Amino acid sequence: QCQLSGLWRNEQDSLMEISAVGDDGGFQGNYLTRVTLAGGCACASPLKGAQQQPSEGGWPTFGFTVRWDKFSNVTTTFVGQCFVDKGGKETLTTMWLLREAVGSLQEDWKATR
């Protein structure tokens, strides 16, 4: 069984801490990017999400949103799945969408990566 709660580090040394996952799958925590650390603003950004409770023997899927309001006018949403290898190592795989604020509807095309 993969446990989503805890401290996670990605390939770029960003840190994410997830609180206990509730019975309904809801969770919250904080995200600290490497960019934040390198830029001198060591501000944790809040995250909120939900985990889909896996079926018997399945690996849980999840999604969460990070509000980077401490240093940027950007919101990022992540979706992914948690896996455990034969040695017991837990790994999260994710994809993300980042939405940046723009000044007009005409600039909307360049706001999402």
Side-chain angles (χ1 to χ4, degrees):
Q1 184 74 358
C2 198
Q3 299 297 318
L4 196 56
S5 60
L7 185 63
W8 297 89
R9 180 184 307 270
N10 71 11
E11 299 89 4
Q12 286 77 39
D13 285 333
S14 295
L15 296 174
M16 176 176 68
E17 186 170 19
I18 296 176
S19 64
V21 177
D23 291 338
D24 65 351
F27 62 86
Q28 56 189 353
N30 290 294
Y31 201 103
L32 185 60
T33 70
R34 182 172 186 247
V35 173
T36 301
L37 292 172
C41 175
C43 302
S45 296
L47 67 85
K48 289 186 180 182
Q51 173 182 299
Q52 180 66 32
Q53 302 301 346
S55 59
E56 184 96 14
W59 305 112
T61 59
F62 59 87
F64 62 89
T65 300
V66 179
R67 192 181 74 234
W68 309 105
D69 61 348
K70 300 280 193 241
F71 62 93
S72 174
N73 192 8
V74 172
T75 301
T76 306
T77 299
F78 296 79
V79 293
Q81 190 167 1
C82 188
F83 297 95
V84 180
D85 68 15
K86 291 179 182 180
K89 180 182 177 188
E90 295 174 316
T91 300
L92 302 181
T93 62
T94 61
M95 294 292 289
W96 53 268
L97 283 174
L98 180 142
R99 178 63 188 213
E100 184 175 14
V102 293
S104 70
L105 183 58
Q106 290 73 28
E107 297 176 290
D108 184 63
W109 67 271
K110 66 179 182 179
T112 302
R113 293 181 259 195

